[in-house]
Amino acid sequence: MPLLKEGKVVEDLWTPLPEDAEPAPQGRIIVTLEQWQAGRERLRGHNGRLGLRLKSDQSPAQIVDDLHYFDLIALEFPRFGDGRAYSYARLLRERYSFTGELRAVGNVLRDQLLFMVRCGFDAFEVANENAAEAWRDAMAEISLWYQPTGRSGPSLGVLRRAALPSAR
Amino acid sequence: MYRYDEFDLAFVQQRVKQFRGQVERRLAGELSEDEFKPLRLMNGLYLQLHAYMLRVAVPYGTLSSHQMRKLASIARDYDRGYGHFTTRQNIQYNWPQLHDVPDILDELSSVEMHAIQTSGNCIRNVTADHFAGAAGDEIEDPRIYAEIIRQWSSLHPEFSFLPRKFKIAITGAPNDRAAVRFHDIGLQIRRNEAGEVGFEVIVGGGLGRTPVIGTTIRKFLPKQHLLSYLEAILRVYNQLGRRDNLFKARIKILVKQTGAEAFKDLVEDEWLHIKDGALTLPSEEIAHIEAYFAPPAFETLEANQPAFEARRFEDQEFARWVRSNVTPHKAPGYACVTISLKPEGGAPGDARAAQMEVVADLAERLSFDEIRVSHEQNLVLPHVRLSDLAEVWETLEADGLGTPNVGLVSDIIACPGLDYCNLANARSIPVAQRLTQRFSDLKRQHEIGDLKIKISGCINACGHHHVGHIGILGVDKKGEEFYQITLGGSADENAAVGKIIGPAFSYDDVVDAVDSIVTTYLELRRDGERFNDTLARLGQAPFKEKLYAAA
Amino acid sequence: MSLKVITANRLREGDVVYLTDSGRWSTHLNESRTGSNESVIEEMLAQAGADVAARRIVAPYAFEVVEVDGILQPLSAREMIRAAGPTVRADYRDTASQESGLKQTSQAA
């Protein structure tokens, strides 16, 4: 699947850890929460970087103390309407100070990219080959936001406060 | 009234352009219907029984005459000359064409209106007391906070894909005219012992297939924390609300299954993390919004207006209209006028374009340019001088808007039902029409007094049947329309869910059934006793006996 | 087996339409092609599917009708109302549905 970062299709340097991979391969691997919980001690010694993939019913709150082991967290969107990962993303960025790659995987649609960016995602697995162009169009659609979410520019409240003395 | 600043306007225009692009992609085949459906719903566009339906937000039910005229011209230019005002203070157009919708939204943005989040699993249009800013019992104008919530909730990136739709209502008065105990979140403005103004926060109320009266999880929330507290509730719900079963996805089910105390703890824990963060409302920001809702420049008038009193004394018809449709105002010499959209034989909540224009003209001349949409599907002129009431009444009368029945048995709430709705099992509007014909005798209606009938065409309860004094629910029995009757519901500060009285009635029999219940009430009531009081005193038995005796 | 017709909405306009013998879509129920066995209805639905893909219509499905004196009538109240327009006020219907020959199920006086 094409991977989008900063508006470009880039090569995906990460591979998911196969179910029965023994020993674990070298390099950058993404493990599931189950794999991590079952093989935590062994995986901590992994020679290479670690990523974690969470399903939409797996809150990062369950694994807060281990987050520092990971350079990437992939959050699943099993379908358009399942919006739990938006909250997880904000928690990761704003509460747990996660600074690694936050990747949206699963059913990731052009018309949701803006919401995802705003919540802190910075990488997107998309189905569409023309993803980069779609991304640029989608990102240009809305430039003003009412909510302070800690990502991507000031909210309208901040802009408005800045404009207040002259605007009123 | 709130006016868009440059940011609000640019935001809404960007959203219209975005939707125009989505419609173009649909018509060009880049989006399938499955992909387009959630996108159009996020902008209030449904595919209903006959055609597309566009739901336009009337934020907290407040309109200017300029806006009302635009609603009228859209009805005329893009639809079939009428619109339908809903129980959530919105307006629906029943016949727009898909390729016209971006143009309609452009027209709406020119008068600072939109259809953002009038559908979909997001925070819907925030509703408020329709007498806000005019009612004498008000602590503060709830629209200030409704507007703050409107802005915060618009395209909220975290809360646009909730388990289910999410409705917030707010009232500034102890007499609840916004049904705050039947919303996902209800906010009741309160004053604490120190005299500060804040909110009682009620969570998990709702109608639908599982009617629940909301639970108070915070008795007093200081104003500056309004948004952080709402964000905490929504964040808990977004993560824990059920997504496996559509019928159990509303927050009321989460609150029930978690337990109100435990739910409150979850919210308060979350809130502690974000309490004094970026969502804190500085008092200048509240003041900035509050300024838009400053009371109009009321004249200093005598509370007693002799010409008005004389007319009321001489003209029985005028007096009758005043009795039912005019309510006291906080400013001496003024009154609130409710314009009934429930004429005999009419479809509840419908208004023709020309009628909207009559209301707009009256508002502009005689009500400081303000109009309200009530959740009871009527319109309100909130600030009319007593001395202008006769002129207002005569003008309304001339255009079929003078029905003197507000709060009476023919002031019926009804959902669109099987006549328009894809989900309905039975018709609602024709039942309402036949009831208004049965109770057409105005003298009898005024004798019966305050009695609320509410009709839903399916279990989703858009017609609020659970909280009608007499509730009517349309059901499908082997392809035939049947109607189940509930008694004793109430949406106000005495919130109650009605109880089913017995077997359902056919389409032909339901009007007789309601008539029998009303007649029994009249026979049994004590002086001045309201329907629910009589019912509470005597129980369902005497009503049931009469109702099913003939069968 | 019962008689069925195929209905949908026009994508651009939203109008209620029915699949006709010629394969076009008409706003008149009475011009509908009828099918009385599974394979014919399957074929009609396949054609509707092709018209969905061609972006002519949206949301097609089959429903039951009966023929009375040469006039097709839906069995369910829902389809009767869908064919004839809302029963609440005659002036709310468009001309096409008023010509459809279906009586209003209820007319407010």
Side-chain angles (χ1 to χ4, degrees), chain B residues 195-209:
Chain B
E196 296 155 337
V197 173
F199 307 94
E200 178 182 347
V201 182
I202 300 152
V203 170
L207 298 172
R209 76 182 56 215

Side-chain angles (χ1 to χ4, degrees), chain B residues 26-29 33 47-52 80 82 95-99 345 347 350 352 418-420 422 427 429-430 433-434 437 479 481 507, chain C residues 9-16 52 55 57-59 61 76-78 81-89 91-94 97 105-106 108-109:
Chain B
R26 173 70 184 110
L27 292 174
E33 185 61 18
L47 184 59
Q48 279 292 17
L49 188 64
H50 303 286
Y52 291 104
R80 293 193 183 170
Y82 71 102
W95 311 92
Q97 303 198 342
L98 175 60
H99 61 101
D350 276 14
R352 285 181 285 106
L418 192 54
D419 282 295
Y420 292 97
N422 242 336
R427 284 173 290 165
I429 296 169
Q433 289 173 315
R434 288 165 58 219
Q437 287 159 346
E481 297 164 289
Y507 180 82
Chain C
N9 295 77
R10 284 206 171 107
L11 172 64
R12 260 176 77 84
E13 296 82 9
D15 302 339
V16 172
V52 168
R55 309 190 303 275
I57 55 141
V58 62
Y61 62 91
S76 72
R78 179 183 195 277
I81 292 168
R82 195 157 181 272
T87 65
V88 300
R89 255 169 78 161
D91 58 333
Y92 284 180
R93 303 145 136 228
D94 64 8
S97 61
T105 32
S106 154

Side-chain angles (χ1 to χ4, degrees), chain A:
Chain A
M1 271 201 183
L3 180 70
L4 271 178
K5 283 184 85 169
E6 293 170 0
K8 289 194 270 301
V9 178
V10 297
E11 192 193 345
D12 189 354
L13 303 172
W14 294 79
T15 45
L17 176 66
E19 269 312 317
D20 46 6
E22 195 66 51
Q26 302 291 301
R28 304 182 182 197
I29 56 166
I30 300 177
V31 302
T32 63
L33 182 62
E34 292 79 7
Q35 285 172 329
W36 174 254
Q37 284 166 341
R40 186 173 179 277
E41 292 313 312
R42 183 170 46 84
L43 286 166
R44 275 197 323 188
H46 171 67
N47 182 17
R49 295 186 178 191
L50 279 175
L52 174 70
R53 182 176 173 123
L54 295 175
K55 295 198 177 70
S56 69
D57 60 356
Q58 296 173 333
S59 167
Q62 302 176 36
I63 191 173
V64 173
D65 295 336
D66 283 354
L67 288 175
H68 62 277
Y69 291 111
F70 302 106
D71 289 313
L72 173 148
I73 294 177
L75 299 176
E76 281 183 29
F77 289 85
R79 54 191 172 81
F80 183 96
D82 188 337
R84 282 175 279 194
Y86 295 99
S87 286
Y88 300 157
R90 288 196 64 193
L91 288 175
L92 281 166
R93 292 297 194 205
E94 296 170 38
R95 187 159 310 159
Y96 310 136
S97 307
F98 178 75
T99 54
E101 177 175 321
L102 195 50
R103 187 182 283 195
V105 298
N107 196 12
V108 178
L109 302 178
R110 171 205 190 281
D111 295 280
Q112 295 178 314
L113 288 176
L114 267 167
F115 293 121
M116 292 178 181
V117 168
R118 208 49 211 171
C119 287
F121 287 98
D122 56 2
F124 309 87
E125 250 181 44
V126 291
N128 187 345
E129 279 302 323
N130 308 317
E133 198 185 327
W135 160 282
R136 273 192 297 276
D137 291 348
M139 294 307 293
E141 284 172 349
I142 310 271
S143 64
L144 295 159
W145 296 93
Y146 286 103
Q147 309 78 12
T149 56
R151 279 266 150 171
S152 302
S155 70
L156 272 177
V158 175
L159 292 172
R160 188 174 277 149
R161 259 168 264 158
L164 265 185
S166 54
R168 299 225 54 217

Side-chain angles (χ1 to χ4, degrees), chain B residues 65-83 85 91 93 100 103-104 106-108 110-111 113 351-358 360:
Chain B
S65 55
H66 185 51
Q67 291 173 322
M68 185 63 110
R69 284 195 192 98
K70 179 59 80 177
L71 295 180
S73 78
I74 289 171
R76 201 175 273 128
D77 296 344
Y78 297 96
D79 210 272
R80 293 193 183 170
Y82 71 102
F85 290 97
I91 182 169
Y93 294 107
D100 281 336
D103 293 340
I104 297 175
D106 257 335
E107 299 232 12
L108 287 169
S110 75
V111 295
M113 294 183 76
R352 285 181 285 106
Q355 291 178 317
M356 294 184 214
E357 284 160 350
V358 167

Side-chain angles (χ1 to χ4, degrees), chain B residues 369-385:
Chain B
D369 206 29
E370 265 195 54
I371 303 155
R372 306 290 172 75
V373 181
S374 80
H375 84 269
E376 279 154 339
Q377 298 180 285
N378 291 316
L379 298 174
V380 172
L381 298 172
H383 313 296
V384 181
R385 283 189 301 212

Side-chain angles (χ1 to χ4, degrees), chain B residues 469-491:
Chain B
H469 299 153
I470 300 176
I472 301 175
L473 166 66
V475 294
D476 175 292
K477 276 195 183 176
K478 294 178 189 153
E480 258 193 273
E481 297 164 289
F482 270 77
Y483 297 87
Q484 211 169 59
I485 294 181
T486 52
L487 300 185
S490 173

Side-chain angles (χ1 to χ4, degrees), chain C residues 68-86:
Chain C
V68 183
D69 300 332
I71 291 173
L72 295 178
Q73 290 198 3
L75 283 186
S76 72
R78 179 183 195 277
E79 291 305 330
M80 226 179 287
I81 292 168
R82 195 157 181 272

